[in-house]
Each structure stands twice: as C-alpha cells, then as structure tokens.
Amino acid sequence: MSDITGVLGWLFLPQFAANLVLKTVHWVLLRVSPRLVPHQSTSAYVLHQRLSYALVIVIYLLYTMWSTERDLGNNFYHAFGLSPSSFSESQLRRNFRQVSLRLHPDKNPEGHQQFIILQHAYKVLSNPLSRFAYDHAGPAAVACQSCKTASDYMLMAIPRRLSVYLAYTMGCVAMQVFRVGKYGAFWQYIAIGGFAALELTMMTSTKEPGIIRALLLLAPHRTSYEMAQILQQVMVCFFIALNQIVPQFVPQEKNESSLELAKQLATAIEATKAEVGNKSRRLADVFRDSVLERHMAD
C-alpha cells in the first residue's frame, strides 16, 4: 500500500465502512430480533454507531499492518531460498549455482534482468560486511561503493535513517499546530525517540535488540531492518487509529467560532454595564436621601 493510498484510506474508508457495518447488522437483527435494533434518536443507537466505527478502525489497522509486511516484497535471501535465521555461506553458494544456471541469459534470454539482480544479491550476501549492512540498514546502505568496513556502511546509513524520524517529528508538530491528532501526542514523541534508538542500536551492535529477536521468531524470513520498518508502520497506524476511535467515546470540547465568542463578550459587557448602572442609581439615591435628611435636620 502506498503512503498516499494509506492516508486516503484512513480519511474516508472508516466512516463509510462503519455505516455499512451498522446497516448490515441492523438489517440482520430486524429479521432475527427487532427489539434489539434501537431507534435512531436514542443513545443506544449512538452507541451502536460508535462500536461499529471502533470495530472498523481495529480491522483496518490489522489490515494495514498485514499489507505493510506484504508490500515489503522479497528480500535478497528469498532469491536463494534462504532466510536470515538459517543462513550459511555454503548453502548460499550451492543455491546460487542452481539458480544462476536456470536464469543465465544463454539458457533464459528473458531472465537477463533477474540474473543481474541475482548476481548483486549474491555479492551482498557473500560478503559478511555488506550482509551485516543489508540486514541492519537496508538495501540503500549496501549501495555505498567506497565503504570498506561495517562502520563505513553505518555512517552512510545513519543520517538517512535519522532524517526519517526527523520527518515523523515535524509531522507530529504540524498536527499539534493544526490541532489534529491531539490524543496520545506525548506518546508519539516517546515512540519516535524509542524507534530511533532501536534502529541506532541495530546499526551499531552485532547483537539484535530483544524486541527484534522476538519478532523474527514470528517472521524468520525477514531481516532486522524489515522488521523495524513494519514496527514503524504499526506505530503510525496505531496513533492514527487512536485519534479515530477516542473522539467517538470522549466528549469533545465545544469549538466556538470567533463570532460566537464576540457575541458572548458583548452580552457580558451589556450585563456589566446594566449592573454598574443599577448600583450607580442606588448610590445616587442613598446620597440624595442623606443630603435631604441633613437639610431637614437643619
């Protein structure tokens, strides 16, 4: 799923799908037990709307996570029928010979481009340094032609990866400025910092972080870098889902326009003027009565 498609999906699909789910459920209930279908003007009907919306958001969140993993496609290991968890150089050489014979341009003219990709994948995986960079920093990291050590690869990759988190941070700030996505704002910054630290640890350590090792047990065909990408997407989708669901159940502050506020201020001023006028008249009456009593006494 592309980023644009994902954003448009989160903006328009949930409300449409929630209405469809609610109508379908009520259509079924009307034929099974009509008394379970509340009238549209009741609070029970509003609750049904909110629950339908929350259900759709949760389902769409799970779908987005699944589609993110699917859209990553195949990595270099898949080309040789291997996985990062069961990798061996001897098996890589054997599988490379078998696959290259099948895709060699002399035997398969249409597989020329695939053969070039296969050679590049073998070059990366057969070198421990480039394989480490590929596993921990992604395909872009191994594009460095002048890199000779693991540190060289990581120094080239770190600024590019940190720029991604800078973009996430700027996006969060923009949402706060425009008062969008206010729920969980503090935890968004905590999550961004946590993921940045996670990737930095991956790039600078030969040992995988605990959370990455745990997730690789569920998806052994993925590299550490790919698991980090999936986690990032989960983070983004989670906070989008949070800001979609919470407003359905938490009373919203009244959003008053400037005109309404001006009217309220004018009303308050008029009331204050009237009150001041009344007190002034009472004070004048008291003063007049006092003067009159003193004159009569004289």
Side-chain angles (χ1 to χ4, degrees):
M1 177 184 294
S2 66
D3 292 339
I4 296 178
T5 303
V7 171
L8 292 177
W10 279 107
L11 289 176
F12 300 109
L13 282 180
Q15 190 62 58
F16 172 78
N19 292 334
L20 184 61
V21 168
L22 184 63
K23 290 179 181 179
T24 303
V25 171
H26 283 178
W27 183 84
V28 173
L29 290 178
L30 280 172
R31 284 150 181 79
V32 177
S33 181
R35 62 184 181 83
L36 295 178
V37 180
H39 192 270
Q40 291 188 5
S41 61
T42 63
S43 59
Y45 185 85
V46 175
L47 179 61
H48 283 202
Q49 287 181 314
R50 292 172 175 173
L51 292 176
S52 299
Y53 194 83
L55 176 64
V56 168
I57 290 294
V58 171
I59 293 175
Y60 194 63
L61 172 62
L62 296 174
Y63 166 76
T64 304
M65 293 164 54
W66 170 80
S67 64
T68 299
E69 198 280 337
R70 180 198 60 188
D71 291 344
L72 286 175
N74 298 326
N75 54 34
F76 287 172
Y77 291 92
H78 184 269
F80 304 102
L82 301 173
S83 67
S85 59
S86 61
F87 176 82
S88 70
E89 293 186 5
S90 58
Q91 188 65 46
L92 173 67
R93 288 192 294 269
R94 286 195 296 270
N95 291 8
F96 173 68
R97 284 195 294 268
Q98 295 174 5
V99 179
S100 61
L101 287 174
R102 187 173 70 251
L103 295 179
H104 197 280
D106 293 341
K107 294 185 177 181
N108 185 7
E110 296 180 356
H112 177 70
Q113 188 62 34
Q114 290 179 299
F115 185 74
I116 294 176
I117 296 174
L118 185 73
Q119 286 183 312
H120 176 62
Y122 178 76
K123 180 181 178 181
V124 170
L125 297 182
S126 60
N127 184 332
L129 291 178
S130 59
R131 185 171 72 247
F132 175 84
Y134 177 78
D135 288 350
H136 293 79
V142 298
C144 176
Q145 300 296 324
S146 60
C147 296
K148 304 297 182 182
T149 65
S151 299
D152 293 338
Y153 283 111
M154 295 304 105
L155 288 175
M156 290 293 295
I158 287 176
R160 177 177 52 83
R161 295 306 306 157
L162 290 181
S163 66
V164 173
Y165 292 100
L166 178 60
Y168 282 147
T169 304
M170 293 175 63
C172 290
V173 171
M175 288 194 296
Q176 298 305 306
V177 170
F178 293 102
R179 300 181 63 83
V180 177
K182 61 181 179 179
Y183 296 101
F186 171 76
W187 294 107
Q188 289 182 36
Y189 295 110
I190 295 296
I192 291 172
F195 277 105
L198 177 68
E199 280 213 51
L200 190 61
T201 302
M202 286 170 45
M203 293 182 185
T204 56
S205 175
T206 56
K207 188 177 181 181
E208 308 290 359
I211 186 173
I212 296 295
R213 290 201 305 271
L215 291 173
L216 288 175
L217 295 176
L218 302 176
H221 61 291
R222 291 300 178 189
T223 65
S224 302
Y225 172 80
E226 289 173 325
M227 292 307 304
Q229 305 311 296
I230 295 174
L231 283 176
Q232 285 178 16
Q233 190 65 29
V234 169
M235 173 192 71
V236 173
C237 292
F238 171 78
F239 284 112
I240 292 176
L242 181 69
N243 282 278
Q244 294 269 5
I245 293 176
V246 172
Q248 300 296 319
F249 295 93
V250 177
Q252 302 297 295
E253 296 179 358
K254 187 176 181 181
N255 186 18
E256 298 175 317
S257 65
S258 299
L259 180 60
E260 292 172 338
L261 291 174
K263 289 180 178 178
Q264 292 179 10
L265 180 60
T267 303
I269 292 174
E270 291 297 329
T272 303
K273 288 171 60 179
E275 185 177 357
V276 170
N278 291 333
K279 289 183 177 180
S280 298
R281 283 191 294 271
R282 286 198 298 271
L283 183 61
D285 292 340
V286 171
F287 178 76
R288 185 175 61 252
D289 293 342
S290 175
V291 172
L292 182 60
E293 288 177 357
R294 192 163 48 249
H295 178 71
M296 292 178 65
D298 293 340

